[in-house]
Amino acid sequence: MTQSYRYAWLLTLTLTFSLVNVAVMHASAAWAQSPPPVIAANAEVKPWSDPIEALGTLRADESVTLSATVTDTVTEINFRDGELVEAGQRLIQLNDTEERAQLRAARAHEDERRNALNRVTQLQARNLSARADVEDNQARLRQATAEAEALEARLANYRLQAPFSGRVGFRNISLGALVTPGMELVTLDKLDVMQLDFNLPEVHLGQLSPGLALTATSAAYPNDTFEGEVATVSTRVDPVSRSVTVRAEVDNPSFRLRPGMLMQVTLAPTPRETLVVPESAIMPEGQYHFVWYLDASDNHRVVWREVTLGSRREGEVEILSGLDHGDLVVAHGTERVREGQTPELLGVLDDDTSVSELIRQESR
């Protein structure tokens, strides 16, 4: 390659790079001059409550283990495992043949005493008997009646009845089995309403009160949420853990919840009014947070403004300082705008307008 040819080739290459740089600069300038499209949102005052979360354990609203108080054999079993029973329904009958015979004898003795009293009373009415004989026979009748009533009460110990409506557990006995006092025969749980016990740090004590709504979830039913409310707050704070026990009531009409289940509890204390913006409007920088504020008095000129955040919830964040009610901030397109720009405002988000709707309207 000759010297003149090499010089011409270098000159051509230099001119080509120069033209490319000029084209890129013109394109960058044109892009910088075009206003970036953004979607804004207003800082609004909304009800806000900080959820309180805890782990709780379910208990039956009423629960009892029926056991025998006498020694005898089982003659009747009137339930099946897991069956729903009514209050007063007889579940187990023990052999009470001897006791019923004693009751019949006691009733016969009572009738005898009553007849004797009637005869003496008639005689005393005709002055043929002393008043003391009438009083003695009255006392004997009362004694016979008391003995019969005591036998009737004893007979009740041979019949195990459901003290309330609920669902029985497993049957652990069979006909003819000999039972003794204290032997556990069957469990009975009232499951239409469940009690949910959980502990909270004492710092939340001022936010707790009967009637406070809550929701609960369980790993057994991951797609279902159960609703309830606080029934009672313990009168004492544990001096070791500094926590207070709370008991809530949770409706269980389908009987899916069972005693002993672990529940994830979320309480919603009384809401307060606070300033809220979409979470997408927040721009973090280190330990600080900023928003692109749109100055409505200056053609929506962009201003980089620091804000102080409070609590967060899904899609929204609480603003403690830095904004006022009604202020406009960039909610979408925050990565395109710069300080001092006047962006193209595609729309303002609200409860009835979504981002996709604003973009669709703009593209028409």
Side-chain angles (χ1 to χ4, degrees):
M1 181 181 293
T2 63
Q3 185 71 23
S4 59
Y5 180 77
R6 181 180 299 174
Y7 176 77
W9 179 78
L10 291 174
L11 181 61
T12 302
L13 187 60
T14 302
L15 290 174
T16 302
F17 278 120
S18 299
L19 290 174
V20 170
N21 289 333
V22 170
V24 171
M25 291 175 61
H26 279 291
S28 300
W31 179 84
Q33 291 172 0
S34 62
V38 298
I39 295 175
N42 284 309
E44 298 179 337
V45 175
K46 295 182 178 181
W48 188 283
S49 62
D50 299 318
I52 303 174
E53 297 184 347
L55 291 175
T57 302
L58 285 175
R59 300 173 64 253
D61 187 40
E62 299 286 351
S63 181
V64 66
T65 299
L66 299 179
S67 59
T69 58
V70 296
T71 300
D72 224 305
T73 57
V74 177
T75 57
E76 292 182 24
I77 299 176
N78 300 319
F79 67 91
R80 295 187 300 274
D81 292 352
E83 183 181 4
L84 288 172
V85 298
E86 299 295 329
Q89 178 177 331
R90 184 182 301 183
L91 303 179
I92 297 174
Q93 176 67 55
L94 302 181
N95 185 6
D96 60 353
T97 304
E98 181 180 352
E99 284 68 21
R100 285 190 283 110
Q102 292 176 357
L103 178 61
R104 289 194 297 270
R107 288 302 183 190
H109 183 62
E110 182 183 13
D111 291 339
E112 179 186 354
R113 291 299 184 186
R114 185 176 292 106
N115 293 334
L117 175 61
N118 291 336
R119 289 192 299 271
V120 173
T121 301
Q122 293 173 2
L123 292 174
Q124 200 273 335
R126 290 180 292 177
N127 293 323
L128 298 177
S129 176
R131 180 64 184 172
D133 293 339
V134 174
E135 294 175 350
D136 290 344
N137 280 276
Q138 287 176 339
R140 294 189 185 99
L141 176 60
R142 287 194 297 270
Q143 180 180 2
T145 301
E147 291 174 354
E149 291 176 348
L151 285 171
E152 281 187 344
R154 192 181 305 167
L155 272 174
N157 295 330
Y158 291 79
R159 300 187 298 268
L160 273 71
Q161 297 176 324
F164 50 82
S165 299
R167 188 182 294 273
V168 294
F170 292 119
R171 178 167 66 90
N172 296 321
I173 55 170
S174 300
L175 290 174
L178 178 66
V179 299
T180 56
M183 180 182 293
E184 297 181 358
L185 303 181
V186 64
T187 60
L188 176 63
D189 296 305
K190 184 175 180 291
L191 302 177
D192 55 338
V193 176
M194 303 294 292
Q195 293 182 358
L196 179 58
D197 292 349
F198 54 93
N199 294 324
L200 290 175
E202 64 174 316
V203 68
H204 297 300
L205 187 58
Q207 299 174 277
L208 301 175
S209 61
L212 182 64
L214 61 85
T215 57
T217 57
S218 169
Y221 308 106
N223 298 323
D224 296 327
T225 300
F226 301 89
E227 298 183 351
E229 62 179 30
V230 173
T232 309
V233 180
S234 176
T235 57
R236 298 182 180 182
V237 174
D238 190 303
V240 177
S241 63
R242 302 300 178 187
S243 62
V244 61
T245 300
V246 181
R247 174 166 294 174
E249 291 183 350
V250 179
D251 290 333
N252 186 32
S254 58
F255 303 108
R256 290 188 297 168
L257 300 178
R258 304 296 175 88
M261 289 178 64
L262 180 68
M263 304 292 288
Q264 176 71 44
V265 186
T266 303
L267 294 97
T270 304
R272 65 181 188 278
E273 296 293 322
T274 190
L275 195 64
V276 177
V277 298
E279 195 171 19
S280 59
I282 304 301
M283 304 289 290
E285 272 199 10
Q287 298 180 349
Y288 303 96
H289 299 86
F290 297 84
V291 295
W292 290 116
Y293 167 71
L294 298 175
D295 190 352
S297 63
D298 192 9
N299 198 24
H300 294 139
R301 184 175 60 85
V302 175
V303 178
W304 184 245
R305 179 175 291 186
E306 183 182 354
V307 293
T308 304
L309 306 186
S311 302
R312 294 174 185 258
R313 63 188 180 192
E314 185 176 359
E316 293 182 321
V317 61
E318 180 185 17
I319 301 297
L320 301 181
S321 65
L323 292 174
D324 295 321
H325 175 64
D327 284 349
L328 205 61
V329 297
V330 177
H332 294 277
T334 53
E335 71 281 356
R336 299 189 185 97
V337 296
R338 297 295 181 269
E339 177 85 20
Q341 284 183 326
T342 302
E344 178 188 358
L345 186 59
L346 301 182
V348 179
L349 294 176
D350 55 35
D351 294 335
D352 301 322
T353 307
S354 64
V355 176
S356 58
E357 290 175 348
L358 291 174
I359 294 176
R360 193 162 49 245
Q361 292 172 5
E362 183 65 21
S363 60
R364 289 175 182 173

